[in-house]
Amino acid sequence: MFSAPPLTPVFKKLIITLFTAFVLELLLQNFAGVHVGRLLALDSARLGPATLPQLFTYVLIDDSGAVLMLINLVFMWLIMSPFEQAFGKRHTLELIAAGTLGGSLATVLVALLAPIDYPLTGSFTIAYAGMAAMTQVMGGRSMLFFGVLPMTSRQLLLVLVGLALLRFIETKNHLILAASLGSMLAGGGYVRYMSRRPRPSPPKRPGGSRLRVLRGGGGGGGGGGNGDSDRPKWL
């Protein structure tokens, strides 16, 4: 049965920031004639000192429209909140930064080889990074995609690449494709880095054991658990 994840602290701040930036952009552009997007969007056709902050600020600008932006926020909610619940605030913030930077760096690299005049905007790179991260977290297990379709990590990754290719076919914009694939690589790569990074050992209690109880676990264990009950229900 589908169960929506809670609004975790980091994602709550993320969604408030993105939605507030979207509303402010509309107000400034339509009523004050100030085009904030020209300053914050990643303009890979004109690289310079302003490019450095634009590697991160482009996610604050979204020219896809209110409906598509809300769909993207819901999509991120179903991904980032479970990730934050499992791995905590710091790892979630690092994943968001990795997806943002991975998408922008891939865009700049491709623009140097095949430049076009297209300022990159949108937080879709965060969503792609989160989904790619989930494929690494899943390992060989399956999950319920949006609580309906059971998918393996390989199948989910193919869906992500397919969505990026479909958008490329629709827009004929290779910079959007580069940003999508770059953010996927960054998201999946971050989880691999996170899993290999050494973790500090917990302090030993006097006269106590160093063993810790880990939440979760595979299906079919003791206590009457089964694989289906342990399968993520959010996606």
Side-chain angles (χ1 to χ4, degrees):
M1 181 178 178
F2 178 79
S3 177
L7 286 174
T8 50
V10 171
F11 178 75
K12 188 182 297 183
K13 293 176 182 177
L14 175 65
I15 193 174
I16 291 174
T17 300
L18 293 177
F19 187 75
T20 301
F22 178 75
V23 173
L24 287 176
E25 179 195 2
L26 289 179
L27 292 176
L28 289 173
Q29 179 174 323
N30 295 334
F31 294 99
V34 179
H35 296 274
V36 184
R38 296 175 182 175
L39 300 175
L40 302 182
L42 177 57
D43 190 356
S44 56
R46 284 168 282 274
L47 300 179
T51 304
L52 186 59
Q54 289 174 357
L55 295 175
F56 297 93
T57 59
Y58 74 93
V59 297
L60 298 174
I61 303 299
D62 198 319
D63 56 3
S64 62
V67 175
L68 289 180
M69 193 202 110
L70 289 175
I71 292 175
N72 187 54
L73 291 179
V74 171
F75 193 69
M76 281 195 290
W77 169 41
L78 297 175
I79 300 297
M80 304 307 296
S81 286
F83 186 91
E84 184 177 350
Q85 282 188 302
F87 299 103
K89 297 180 181 179
R90 181 171 66 88
H91 289 307
T92 304
L93 288 171
E94 291 176 353
L95 175 61
I96 293 172
T100 302
L101 190 58
S104 58
L105 289 179
T107 301
V108 171
L109 179 61
V110 172
L112 291 175
L113 301 175
I116 59 173
D117 191 2
Y118 175 79
L120 181 68
T121 61
S123 57
F124 66 94
T125 52
I126 299 177
Y128 273 125
M131 289 294 291
M134 289 302 296
T135 64
Q136 298 301 311
V137 171
M138 289 164 57
R141 295 170 294 175
S142 63
M143 66 187 296
L144 294 178
F145 188 64
F146 287 106
V148 178
L149 297 175
M151 283 189 179
T152 64
S153 58
R154 183 185 297 272
Q155 291 170 337
L156 180 57
L157 187 59
L158 290 175
V159 168
L160 291 179
V161 175
L163 290 174
L165 290 175
L166 280 177
R167 190 172 183 188
F168 169 68
I169 294 172
E170 177 188 6
T171 62
K172 299 181 181 179
N173 191 321
H174 55 276
L175 295 186
I176 295 180
L177 178 63
S180 302
L181 297 179
S183 59
M184 289 183 210
L185 288 174
Y190 174 74
V191 171
R192 286 181 173 268
Y193 161 76
M194 183 180 69
S195 63
R196 295 177 182 177
R197 184 165 52 182
R199 300 178 181 177
S201 301
K204 184 177 181 180
R205 297 179 181 177
S209 172
R210 295 179 66 92
L211 296 178
R212 293 183 300 164
V213 178
L214 301 179
R215 295 182 179 179
N226 57 71
D228 184 68
S229 63
D230 290 334
R231 179 183 296 172
K233 300 296 192 301
W234 295 303
L235 302 173

